[in-house]
Short mmCIF file of all heavy atoms in Angstrom, two decimals:
data_model
loop_
_atom_site.label_atom_id
_atom_site.label_comp_id
_atom_site.label_asym_id
_atom_site.label_seq_id
_atom_site.Cartn_x
_atom_site.Cartn_y
_atom_site.Cartn_z
N MET X 1 0.82 -1.19 0.00
CA MET X 1 0.00 0.00 0.00
C MET X 1 0.86 1.25 0.00
O MET X 1 0.56 2.20 -0.70
CB MET X 1 -0.91 -0.06 1.22
CG MET X 1 -1.78 1.14 1.35
SD MET X 1 -3.41 0.68 0.82
CE MET X 1 -4.29 2.12 1.17
N VAL X 2 1.95 1.23 0.79
CA VAL X 2 2.83 2.39 0.85
C VAL X 2 3.51 2.61 -0.49
O VAL X 2 3.68 3.75 -0.94
CB VAL X 2 3.87 2.20 1.98
CG1 VAL X 2 4.89 3.32 1.96
CG2 VAL X 2 3.19 2.10 3.32
N MET X 3 3.84 1.52 -1.17
CA MET X 3 4.51 1.64 -2.46
C MET X 3 3.57 2.25 -3.50
O MET X 3 4.00 3.03 -4.35
CB MET X 3 4.99 0.26 -2.91
CG MET X 3 5.91 0.30 -4.08
SD MET X 3 6.69 -1.29 -4.21
CE MET X 3 7.46 -1.10 -5.76
N GLN X 4 2.28 1.92 -3.46
CA GLN X 4 1.32 2.49 -4.39
C GLN X 4 1.16 3.98 -4.16
O GLN X 4 1.01 4.75 -5.09
CB GLN X 4 -0.03 1.80 -4.25
CG GLN X 4 -0.06 0.41 -4.84
CD GLN X 4 -1.43 -0.24 -4.69
OE1 GLN X 4 -2.24 0.23 -3.90
NE2 GLN X 4 -1.65 -1.31 -5.42
N VAL X 5 1.21 4.41 -2.90
CA VAL X 5 1.06 5.82 -2.58
C VAL X 5 2.27 6.61 -3.09
O VAL X 5 2.13 7.72 -3.62
CB VAL X 5 0.88 6.02 -1.05
CG1 VAL X 5 0.95 7.49 -0.68
CG2 VAL X 5 -0.41 5.39 -0.59
N LEU X 6 3.46 6.05 -3.01
CA LEU X 6 4.66 6.73 -3.49
C LEU X 6 4.77 6.66 -5.01
O LEU X 6 5.38 7.53 -5.63
CB LEU X 6 5.91 6.12 -2.85
CG LEU X 6 6.06 6.31 -1.35
CD1 LEU X 6 7.28 5.56 -0.84
CD2 LEU X 6 6.14 7.77 -0.99
N LEU X 7 4.23 5.64 -5.60
CA LEU X 7 4.34 5.45 -7.04
C LEU X 7 3.40 6.36 -7.83
O LEU X 7 3.74 6.82 -8.91
CB LEU X 7 4.06 3.98 -7.38
CG LEU X 7 4.38 3.53 -8.79
CD1 LEU X 7 5.86 3.73 -9.08
CD2 LEU X 7 4.00 2.09 -8.98
N ALA X 8 2.24 6.65 -7.30
CA ALA X 8 1.24 7.46 -8.01
C ALA X 8 1.76 8.86 -8.36
O ALA X 8 1.61 9.30 -9.50
CB ALA X 8 -0.04 7.53 -7.20
N PRO X 9 2.37 9.61 -7.43
CA PRO X 9 2.89 10.93 -7.80
C PRO X 9 4.02 10.86 -8.83
O PRO X 9 4.11 11.71 -9.72
CB PRO X 9 3.39 11.53 -6.50
CG PRO X 9 2.72 10.76 -5.42
CD PRO X 9 2.46 9.40 -5.98
N ALA X 10 4.84 9.84 -8.75
CA ALA X 10 5.95 9.71 -9.69
C ALA X 10 5.42 9.45 -11.10
O ALA X 10 5.94 9.99 -12.07
CB ALA X 10 6.88 8.57 -9.25
N VAL X 11 4.39 8.64 -11.22
CA VAL X 11 3.82 8.34 -12.53
C VAL X 11 3.16 9.59 -13.10
O VAL X 11 3.31 9.90 -14.29
CB VAL X 11 2.80 7.17 -12.43
CG1 VAL X 11 2.02 7.02 -13.72
CG2 VAL X 11 3.51 5.89 -12.07
N SER X 12 2.45 10.33 -12.27
CA SER X 12 1.78 11.53 -12.77
C SER X 12 2.79 12.58 -13.20
O SER X 12 2.58 13.29 -14.19
CB SER X 12 0.83 12.09 -11.72
OG SER X 12 1.55 12.53 -10.60
N VAL X 13 3.91 12.70 -12.49
CA VAL X 13 4.96 13.65 -12.88
C VAL X 13 5.58 13.22 -14.20
O VAL X 13 5.82 14.04 -15.09
CB VAL X 13 6.02 13.77 -11.76
CG1 VAL X 13 7.25 14.49 -12.26
CG2 VAL X 13 5.44 14.45 -10.55
N LEU X 14 5.81 11.93 -14.35
CA LEU X 14 6.40 11.41 -15.58
C LEU X 14 5.47 11.63 -16.77
O LEU X 14 5.89 12.08 -17.84
CB LEU X 14 6.72 9.92 -15.43
CG LEU X 14 7.39 9.25 -16.62
CD1 LEU X 14 8.76 9.84 -16.85
CD2 LEU X 14 7.47 7.76 -16.42
N VAL X 15 4.20 11.35 -16.60
CA VAL X 15 3.22 11.53 -17.68
C VAL X 15 3.11 12.99 -18.06
O VAL X 15 3.08 13.35 -19.23
CB VAL X 15 1.85 10.95 -17.28
CG1 VAL X 15 0.77 11.36 -18.26
CG2 VAL X 15 1.93 9.43 -17.19
N SER X 16 3.06 13.88 -17.08
CA SER X 16 2.95 15.30 -17.38
C SER X 16 4.21 15.82 -18.08
O SER X 16 4.13 16.67 -18.97
CB SER X 16 2.65 16.11 -16.12
OG SER X 16 3.73 16.01 -15.22
N ALA X 17 5.38 15.31 -17.70
CA ALA X 17 6.62 15.72 -18.34
C ALA X 17 6.65 15.26 -19.80
O ALA X 17 7.03 16.02 -20.70
CB ALA X 17 7.82 15.16 -17.60
N VAL X 18 6.23 14.04 -20.05
CA VAL X 18 6.20 13.52 -21.42
C VAL X 18 5.21 14.31 -22.27
O VAL X 18 5.51 14.69 -23.41
CB VAL X 18 5.86 12.01 -21.43
CG1 VAL X 18 5.54 11.52 -22.83
CG2 VAL X 18 7.01 11.21 -20.84
N LEU X 19 4.04 14.59 -21.73
CA LEU X 19 3.05 15.37 -22.47
C LEU X 19 3.54 16.78 -22.74
O LEU X 19 3.31 17.33 -23.82
CB LEU X 19 1.72 15.41 -21.71
CG LEU X 19 0.92 14.11 -21.72
CD1 LEU X 19 -0.33 14.26 -20.87
CD2 LEU X 19 0.55 13.70 -23.13
N SER X 20 4.23 17.37 -21.79
CA SER X 20 4.78 18.71 -21.99
C SER X 20 5.83 18.71 -23.10
O SER X 20 5.84 19.61 -23.95
CB SER X 20 5.40 19.24 -20.70
OG SER X 20 4.44 19.36 -19.70
N LEU X 21 6.70 17.72 -23.10
CA LEU X 21 7.73 17.64 -24.14
C LEU X 21 7.11 17.40 -25.52
O LEU X 21 7.55 17.99 -26.51
CB LEU X 21 8.73 16.54 -23.81
CG LEU X 21 9.70 16.85 -22.66
CD1 LEU X 21 10.55 15.63 -22.36
CD2 LEU X 21 10.56 18.03 -23.00
N LEU X 22 6.10 16.56 -25.58
CA LEU X 22 5.44 16.31 -26.87
C LEU X 22 4.73 17.55 -27.38
O LEU X 22 4.82 17.86 -28.58
CB LEU X 22 4.43 15.16 -26.74
CG LEU X 22 5.03 13.77 -26.68
CD1 LEU X 22 3.93 12.74 -26.44
CD2 LEU X 22 5.77 13.44 -27.96
N SER X 23 4.07 18.28 -26.52
CA SER X 23 3.40 19.49 -26.97
C SER X 23 4.40 20.55 -27.39
O SER X 23 4.19 21.29 -28.36
CB SER X 23 2.46 20.02 -25.88
OG SER X 23 3.20 20.38 -24.74
N LEU X 24 5.53 20.65 -26.70
CA LEU X 24 6.58 21.60 -27.08
C LEU X 24 7.18 21.23 -28.44
O LEU X 24 7.40 22.09 -29.28
CB LEU X 24 7.67 21.64 -26.00
CG LEU X 24 8.78 22.65 -26.20
CD1 LEU X 24 8.21 24.06 -26.17
CD2 LEU X 24 9.84 22.48 -25.14
N ALA X 25 7.40 19.94 -28.66
CA ALA X 25 7.94 19.49 -29.94
C ALA X 25 6.95 19.76 -31.08
O ALA X 25 7.34 20.19 -32.17
CB ALA X 25 8.27 18.00 -29.88
N LEU X 26 5.67 19.54 -30.84
CA LEU X 26 4.65 19.80 -31.84
C LEU X 26 4.57 21.29 -32.17
O LEU X 26 4.49 21.68 -33.33
CB LEU X 26 3.29 19.30 -31.36
CG LEU X 26 2.13 19.47 -32.32
CD1 LEU X 26 2.36 18.67 -33.59
CD2 LEU X 26 0.84 19.08 -31.66
N LEU X 27 4.65 22.13 -31.16
CA LEU X 27 4.62 23.57 -31.37
C LEU X 27 5.84 24.03 -32.17
O LEU X 27 5.72 24.83 -33.09
CB LEU X 27 4.58 24.29 -30.01
CG LEU X 27 4.48 25.79 -30.05
CD1 LEU X 27 3.16 26.22 -30.65
CD2 LEU X 27 4.64 26.36 -28.66
N LEU X 28 7.00 23.50 -31.85
CA LEU X 28 8.21 23.84 -32.59
C LEU X 28 8.11 23.39 -34.04
O LEU X 28 8.48 24.13 -34.96
CB LEU X 28 9.43 23.20 -31.92
CG LEU X 28 10.78 23.48 -32.55
CD1 LEU X 28 11.11 24.97 -32.43
CD2 LEU X 28 11.85 22.66 -31.89
N LEU X 29 7.59 22.20 -34.26
CA LEU X 29 7.43 21.69 -35.62
C LEU X 29 6.48 22.57 -36.43
O LEU X 29 6.75 22.88 -37.59
CB LEU X 29 6.91 20.25 -35.57
CG LEU X 29 6.70 19.55 -36.91
CD1 LEU X 29 8.04 19.33 -37.60
CD2 LEU X 29 5.98 18.25 -36.72
N LEU X 30 5.37 22.98 -35.83
CA LEU X 30 4.43 23.84 -36.53
C LEU X 30 5.05 25.19 -36.87
O LEU X 30 4.83 25.72 -37.96
CB LEU X 30 3.17 24.04 -35.68
CG LEU X 30 2.26 22.82 -35.58
CD1 LEU X 30 1.11 23.11 -34.62
CD2 LEU X 30 1.74 22.42 -36.93
N CYS X 31 5.84 25.74 -35.98
CA CYS X 31 6.51 27.02 -36.25
C CYS X 31 7.49 26.89 -37.40
O CYS X 31 7.56 27.77 -38.27
CB CYS X 31 7.21 27.53 -35.00
SG CYS X 31 6.10 28.11 -33.73
N VAL X 32 8.24 25.82 -37.44
CA VAL X 32 9.22 25.61 -38.51
C VAL X 32 8.51 25.42 -39.85
O VAL X 32 8.93 25.99 -40.87
CB VAL X 32 10.11 24.39 -38.19
CG1 VAL X 32 10.92 23.96 -39.40
CG2 VAL X 32 11.03 24.71 -37.02
N ILE X 33 7.42 24.68 -39.86
CA ILE X 33 6.68 24.45 -41.10
C ILE X 33 6.08 25.76 -41.61
O ILE X 33 6.15 26.06 -42.81
CB ILE X 33 5.58 23.39 -40.88
CG1 ILE X 33 6.22 22.02 -40.71
CG2 ILE X 33 4.59 23.37 -42.04
CD1 ILE X 33 5.23 20.94 -40.33
N ARG X 34 5.51 26.56 -40.73
CA ARG X 34 4.94 27.83 -41.17
C ARG X 34 6.01 28.76 -41.72
O ARG X 34 5.80 29.45 -42.72
CB ARG X 34 4.20 28.50 -40.01
CG ARG X 34 2.91 27.80 -39.67
CD ARG X 34 2.16 28.52 -38.61
NE ARG X 34 1.60 29.73 -39.20
CZ ARG X 34 1.14 30.75 -38.51
NH1 ARG X 34 1.19 30.74 -37.20
NH2 ARG X 34 0.64 31.80 -39.11
N LYS X 35 7.17 28.78 -41.07
CA LYS X 35 8.26 29.65 -41.55
C LYS X 35 8.75 29.19 -42.92
O LYS X 35 8.98 30.01 -43.80
CB LYS X 35 9.40 29.64 -40.54
CG LYS X 35 10.53 30.58 -40.90
CD LYS X 35 11.62 30.55 -39.86
CE LYS X 35 12.75 31.47 -40.25
NZ LYS X 35 13.85 31.41 -39.30
N LYS X 36 8.87 27.89 -43.09
CA LYS X 36 9.34 27.36 -44.37
C LYS X 36 8.34 27.66 -45.48
O LYS X 36 8.72 28.05 -46.58
CB LYS X 36 9.56 25.85 -44.25
CG LYS X 36 10.20 25.26 -45.47
CD LYS X 36 10.54 23.81 -45.25
CE LYS X 36 11.23 23.25 -46.47
NZ LYS X 36 11.60 21.87 -46.30
N ARG X 37 7.05 27.51 -45.20
CA ARG X 37 6.03 27.81 -46.21
C ARG X 37 6.03 29.28 -46.57
O ARG X 37 5.80 29.65 -47.71
CB ARG X 37 4.65 27.42 -45.69
CG ARG X 37 4.41 25.93 -45.73
CD ARG X 37 3.02 25.59 -45.29
NE ARG X 37 2.04 26.23 -46.14
CZ ARG X 37 0.75 26.26 -45.89
NH1 ARG X 37 0.29 25.70 -44.80
NH2 ARG X 37 -0.08 26.86 -46.71
N ARG X 38 6.29 30.13 -45.60
CA ARG X 38 6.32 31.57 -45.85
C ARG X 38 7.49 31.94 -46.75
O ARG X 38 7.39 32.80 -47.62
CB ARG X 38 6.43 32.31 -44.52
CG ARG X 38 6.15 33.77 -44.61
CD ARG X 38 6.23 34.45 -43.26
NE ARG X 38 5.51 33.74 -42.23
CZ ARG X 38 5.92 33.62 -40.97
NH1 ARG X 38 7.06 34.17 -40.60
NH2 ARG X 38 5.23 32.97 -40.09
N MET X 39 8.62 31.27 -46.56
CA MET X 39 9.83 31.61 -47.32
C MET X 39 9.91 30.92 -48.67
O MET X 39 10.47 31.44 -49.60
CB MET X 39 11.08 31.25 -46.51
CG MET X 39 11.17 32.01 -45.20
SD MET X 39 11.12 33.75 -45.47
CE MET X 39 12.76 34.19 -45.04
N GLU X 40 9.36 29.72 -48.81
CA GLU X 40 9.51 28.93 -50.03
C GLU X 40 8.17 28.53 -50.62
O GLU X 40 7.96 27.38 -50.90
CB GLU X 40 10.26 27.62 -49.73
CG GLU X 40 11.61 27.76 -49.16
CD GLU X 40 12.20 26.40 -48.85
OE1 GLU X 40 11.61 25.39 -49.21
OE2 GLU X 40 13.27 26.38 -48.26
N GLY X 41 7.29 29.42 -50.90
CA GLY X 41 5.95 29.07 -51.38
C GLY X 41 5.96 28.07 -52.52
O GLY X 41 6.98 27.79 -53.12
N THR X 42 4.82 27.52 -52.79
CA THR X 42 4.71 26.55 -53.88
C THR X 42 3.85 27.13 -54.99
O THR X 42 2.89 27.84 -54.73
CB THR X 42 4.07 25.23 -53.39
OG1 THR X 42 2.80 25.53 -52.84
CG2 THR X 42 4.94 24.56 -52.36
N TYR X 43 4.19 26.83 -56.21
CA TYR X 43 3.45 27.28 -57.37
C TYR X 43 3.13 26.07 -58.22
O TYR X 43 4.01 25.40 -58.73
CB TYR X 43 4.27 28.30 -58.17
CG TYR X 43 3.60 28.74 -59.44
CD1 TYR X 43 2.42 29.44 -59.40
CD2 TYR X 43 4.15 28.44 -60.67
CE1 TYR X 43 1.81 29.85 -60.56
CE2 TYR X 43 3.54 28.85 -61.84
CZ TYR X 43 2.37 29.55 -61.78
OH TYR X 43 1.76 29.95 -62.92
N ARG X 44 1.85 25.77 -58.33
CA ARG X 44 1.42 24.61 -59.11
C ARG X 44 0.35 25.04 -60.10
O ARG X 44 -0.83 25.02 -59.78
CB ARG X 44 0.89 23.53 -58.18
CG ARG X 44 1.98 22.90 -57.34
CD ARG X 44 1.40 21.89 -56.44
NE ARG X 44 0.84 22.63 -55.31
CZ ARG X 44 0.42 22.10 -54.20
NH1 ARG X 44 0.45 20.81 -54.06
NH2 ARG X 44 -0.06 22.84 -53.23
N PRO X 45 0.74 25.45 -61.30
CA PRO X 45 -0.27 25.88 -62.27
C PRO X 45 -1.19 24.75 -62.72
O PRO X 45 -2.33 24.99 -63.06
CB PRO X 45 0.55 26.43 -63.43
CG PRO X 45 1.90 25.84 -63.28
CD PRO X 45 2.09 25.57 -61.82
N SER X 46 -0.72 23.52 -62.70
CA SER X 46 -1.59 22.42 -63.14
C SER X 46 -2.77 22.25 -62.19
O SER X 46 -3.87 21.91 -62.62
CB SER X 46 -0.79 21.12 -63.23
OG SER X 46 -0.27 20.78 -61.96
N ALA X 47 -2.57 22.51 -60.92
CA ALA X 47 -3.67 22.42 -59.97
C ALA X 47 -4.70 23.50 -60.25
O ALA X 47 -5.91 23.26 -60.18
CB ALA X 47 -3.14 22.54 -58.54
N GLU X 48 -4.25 24.69 -60.60
CA GLU X 48 -5.17 25.78 -60.93
C GLU X 48 -5.94 25.46 -62.21
O GLU X 48 -7.13 25.75 -62.31
CB GLU X 48 -4.41 27.09 -61.10
CG GLU X 48 -3.83 27.63 -59.81
CD GLU X 48 -4.91 27.98 -58.80
OE1 GLU X 48 -5.97 28.48 -59.20
OE2 GLU X 48 -4.68 27.75 -57.61
N GLU X 49 -5.29 24.86 -63.18
CA GLU X 49 -5.96 24.51 -64.43
C GLU X 49 -7.03 23.45 -64.18
O GLU X 49 -8.11 23.49 -64.77
CB GLU X 49 -4.95 23.99 -65.45
CG GLU X 49 -4.04 25.08 -65.98
CD GLU X 49 -2.92 24.53 -66.85
OE1 GLU X 49 -2.86 23.30 -67.06
OE2 GLU X 49 -2.10 25.34 -67.30
N ARG X 50 -6.74 22.50 -63.31
CA ARG X 50 -7.72 21.47 -62.99
C ARG X 50 -8.94 22.07 -62.31
O ARG X 50 -10.06 21.63 -62.52
CB ARG X 50 -7.11 20.39 -62.12
CG ARG X 50 -6.42 19.32 -62.94
CD ARG X 50 -5.98 18.16 -62.09
NE ARG X 50 -4.53 18.21 -62.05
CZ ARG X 50 -3.78 18.21 -60.98
NH1 ARG X 50 -4.34 18.12 -59.80
NH2 ARG X 50 -2.48 18.28 -61.04
N LYS X 51 -8.73 23.08 -61.47
CA LYS X 51 -9.86 23.73 -60.80
C LYS X 51 -10.75 24.43 -61.82
O LYS X 51 -11.97 24.42 -61.70
CB LYS X 51 -9.35 24.78 -59.80
CG LYS X 51 -8.82 24.20 -58.53
CD LYS X 51 -8.41 25.34 -57.63
CE LYS X 51 -7.61 24.86 -56.44
NZ LYS X 51 -7.12 25.97 -55.63
N GLN X 52 -10.16 25.06 -62.83
CA GLN X 52 -10.92 25.82 -63.81
C GLN X 52 -11.73 24.92 -64.72
O GLN X 52 -12.82 25.27 -65.14
CB GLN X 52 -9.99 26.71 -64.64
CG GLN X 52 -9.41 27.86 -63.87
CD GLN X 52 -8.43 28.66 -64.69
OE1 GLN X 52 -8.15 28.33 -65.83
NE2 GLN X 52 -7.89 29.70 -64.10
N THR X 53 -11.20 23.76 -65.07
CA THR X 53 -11.90 22.88 -66.00
C THR X 53 -13.06 22.16 -65.31
O THR X 53 -13.92 21.64 -65.99
CB THR X 53 -10.96 21.84 -66.62
OG1 THR X 53 -10.37 21.07 -65.59
CG2 THR X 53 -9.90 22.49 -67.47
N GLY X 54 -13.09 22.11 -64.02
CA GLY X 54 -14.16 21.44 -63.30
C GLY X 54 -13.86 19.97 -63.13
O GLY X 54 -12.72 19.52 -63.21
N SER X 55 -14.89 19.20 -62.90
CA SER X 55 -14.68 17.78 -62.61
C SER X 55 -14.47 16.94 -63.87
O SER X 55 -13.91 15.87 -63.80
CB SER X 55 -15.87 17.23 -61.83
OG SER X 55 -17.04 17.36 -62.59
N GLY X 56 -14.95 17.39 -65.03
CA GLY X 56 -14.79 16.62 -66.27
C GLY X 56 -13.37 16.71 -66.78
O GLY X 56 -12.88 17.78 -67.10
N GLY X 57 -12.68 15.58 -66.89
CA GLY X 57 -11.30 15.61 -67.32
C GLY X 57 -11.13 15.59 -68.82
O GLY X 57 -10.14 16.07 -69.36
N SER X 58 -12.11 15.04 -69.56
CA SER X 58 -11.95 14.90 -71.00
C SER X 58 -12.44 16.12 -71.78
O SER X 58 -12.27 16.18 -72.98
CB SER X 58 -12.69 13.65 -71.48
OG SER X 58 -14.07 13.80 -71.23
N GLU X 59 -13.06 17.06 -71.11
CA GLU X 59 -13.56 18.25 -71.80
C GLU X 59 -12.43 19.18 -72.18
O GLU X 59 -11.42 19.26 -71.51
CB GLU X 59 -14.53 19.01 -70.89
CG GLU X 59 -15.75 18.21 -70.51
CD GLU X 59 -16.61 18.99 -69.53
OE1 GLU X 59 -16.37 20.20 -69.36
OE2 GLU X 59 -17.49 18.38 -68.95
N LYS X 60 -12.63 19.91 -73.29
CA LYS X 60 -11.64 20.91 -73.68
C LYS X 60 -11.81 22.14 -72.80
O LYS X 60 -12.94 22.55 -72.55
CB LYS X 60 -11.84 21.32 -75.14
CG LYS X 60 -11.30 20.36 -76.14
CD LYS X 60 -11.41 20.99 -77.53
CE LYS X 60 -10.67 20.18 -78.55
NZ LYS X 60 -10.80 20.78 -79.88
N PRO X 61 -10.73 22.73 -72.36
CA PRO X 61 -10.88 23.96 -71.58
C PRO X 61 -11.35 25.09 -72.49
O PRO X 61 -10.97 25.17 -73.65
CB PRO X 61 -9.48 24.21 -71.04
CG PRO X 61 -8.57 23.44 -71.90
CD PRO X 61 -9.35 22.30 -72.47
N SER X 62 -12.20 25.95 -71.97
CA SER X 62 -12.70 27.06 -72.78
C SER X 62 -11.58 28.07 -72.99
O SER X 62 -10.72 28.27 -72.14
CB SER X 62 -13.88 27.71 -72.08
OG SER X 62 -13.46 28.23 -70.84
N LEU X 63 -11.60 28.70 -74.15
CA LEU X 63 -10.57 29.69 -74.47
C LEU X 63 -10.92 31.02 -73.82
O LEU X 63 -12.04 31.51 -73.97
CB LEU X 63 -10.44 29.86 -75.98
CG LEU X 63 -9.99 28.62 -76.75
CD1 LEU X 63 -10.06 28.88 -78.23
CD2 LEU X 63 -8.59 28.25 -76.34
N PRO X 64 -10.00 31.64 -73.14
CA PRO X 64 -10.31 32.91 -72.48
C PRO X 64 -10.41 34.06 -73.47
O PRO X 64 -11.10 35.04 -73.22
CB PRO X 64 -9.14 33.11 -71.52
CG PRO X 64 -8.04 32.28 -72.06
CD PRO X 64 -8.68 31.16 -72.81
N LEU X 65 -9.73 33.99 -74.63
CA LEU X 65 -9.75 35.05 -75.63
C LEU X 65 -10.39 34.53 -76.91
O LEU X 65 -10.24 33.38 -77.27
CB LEU X 65 -8.32 35.50 -75.95
CG LEU X 65 -7.51 36.10 -74.80
CD1 LEU X 65 -6.08 36.35 -75.25
CD2 LEU X 65 -8.15 37.38 -74.32
N PRO X 66 -11.10 35.40 -77.63
CA PRO X 66 -11.68 34.95 -78.90
C PRO X 66 -10.57 34.72 -79.93
O PRO X 66 -9.53 35.36 -79.90
CB PRO X 66 -12.58 36.11 -79.31
CG PRO X 66 -12.06 37.29 -78.57
CD PRO X 66 -11.44 36.77 -77.31
N LEU X 67 -10.84 33.79 -80.83
CA LEU X 67 -9.86 33.50 -81.89
C LEU X 67 -9.81 34.66 -82.87
O LEU X 67 -10.82 35.32 -83.13
CB LEU X 67 -10.25 32.22 -82.62
CG LEU X 67 -10.17 30.94 -81.79
CD1 LEU X 67 -10.73 29.77 -82.59
CD2 LEU X 67 -8.74 30.66 -81.38
N PRO X 68 -8.64 34.94 -83.47
CA PRO X 68 -8.55 36.02 -84.45
C PRO X 68 -9.27 35.62 -85.75
O PRO X 68 -9.53 34.44 -86.00
CB PRO X 68 -7.06 36.17 -84.69
CG PRO X 68 -6.47 34.87 -84.29
CD PRO X 68 -7.35 34.32 -83.22
N LYS X 69 -9.58 36.61 -86.56
CA LYS X 69 -10.26 36.34 -87.83
C LYS X 69 -9.33 35.53 -88.73
O LYS X 69 -8.11 35.67 -88.68
CB LYS X 69 -10.62 37.64 -88.53
CG LYS X 69 -11.66 38.44 -87.80
CD LYS X 69 -12.00 39.69 -88.55
CE LYS X 69 -13.03 40.50 -87.82
NZ LYS X 69 -13.35 41.74 -88.49
N GLU X 70 -9.94 34.69 -89.53
CA GLU X 70 -9.16 33.85 -90.43
C GLU X 70 -8.50 34.71 -91.50
O GLU X 70 -9.14 35.57 -92.10
CB GLU X 70 -10.09 32.83 -91.07
CG GLU X 70 -9.37 31.85 -91.94
CD GLU X 70 -10.32 30.84 -92.57
OE1 GLU X 70 -11.41 30.61 -91.98
OE2 GLU X 70 -9.98 30.29 -93.62
N GLU X 71 -7.23 34.46 -91.76
CA GLU X 71 -6.51 35.25 -92.78
C GLU X 71 -6.79 34.65 -94.16
O GLU X 71 -6.79 33.44 -94.32
CB GLU X 71 -5.02 35.22 -92.49
CG GLU X 71 -4.62 35.95 -91.24
CD GLU X 71 -3.12 35.98 -91.04
OE1 GLU X 71 -2.37 35.86 -92.04
OE2 GLU X 71 -2.69 36.13 -89.90
N ARG X 72 -7.02 35.53 -95.11
CA ARG X 72 -7.29 35.08 -96.48
C ARG X 72 -6.32 35.76 -97.44
O ARG X 72 -5.90 36.87 -97.23
CB ARG X 72 -8.72 35.41 -96.89
CG ARG X 72 -9.74 34.72 -96.03
CD ARG X 72 -11.12 35.05 -96.50
NE ARG X 72 -12.09 34.33 -95.70
CZ ARG X 72 -13.35 34.26 -96.00
NH1 ARG X 72 -13.80 34.85 -97.10
NH2 ARG X 72 -14.17 33.61 -95.23
N LEU X 73 -6.04 35.06 -98.51
CA LEU X 73 -5.20 35.63 -99.56
C LEU X 73 -6.03 36.58 -100.43
O LEU X 73 -7.20 36.34 -100.67
CB LEU X 73 -4.59 34.54 -100.44
CG LEU X 73 -3.65 33.57 -99.72
CD1 LEU X 73 -3.24 32.48 -100.69
CD2 LEU X 73 -2.43 34.31 -99.22
N ILE X 74 -5.41 37.64 -100.88
CA ILE X 74 -6.12 38.61 -101.72
C ILE X 74 -6.07 38.19 -103.17
O ILE X 74 -5.15 37.73 -103.71
CB ILE X 74 -5.53 40.02 -101.55
CG1 ILE X 74 -5.69 40.42 -100.10
CG2 ILE X 74 -6.21 41.00 -102.48
CD1 ILE X 74 -5.10 41.77 -99.78
#
């Protein structure tokens, strides 16, 4: 019984220390990831093109500008 009474505070201190270290590591990781994203952004034009075409993959994308008039020989 005496051993259980002495063991309970030690276990709770150990668990709280581990949880504190894990939360500190997670916070540090999130800060590093945010800093890296801020400095080295990503540019993916293919993702933007897929958003514009919608869900249909086989459809032709609409042209944003009208085609020029057909040239003819005089």
Side-chain angles (χ1 to χ4, degrees):
M1 179 103 175
V2 174
M3 191 166 170
Q4 286 181 344
V5 171
L6 294 176
L7 191 61
V11 170
S12 65
V13 167
L14 182 65
V15 169
S16 64
V18 168
L19 287 177
S20 298
L21 287 175
L22 284 175
S23 62
L24 184 63
L26 181 63
L27 183 65
L28 181 65
L29 181 66
L30 288 175
C31 288
V32 168
I33 289 173
R34 288 184 72 196
K35 184 179 179 183
K36 187 174 182 179
R37 283 184 59 190
R38 193 178 313 142
M39 299 304 250
E40 301 177 7
T42 57
Y43 176 65
R44 291 179 280 191
S46 61
E48 291 296 323
E49 289 172 2
R50 274 188 250 127
K51 283 182 192 176
Q52 290 176 358
T53 59
S55 61
S58 63
E59 298 176 13
K60 280 187 170 180
S62 62
L63 297 173
L65 299 174
L67 293 173
K69 293 182 181 178
E70 184 180 336
E71 293 184 24
R72 298 182 178 191
L73 298 175
I74 299 178

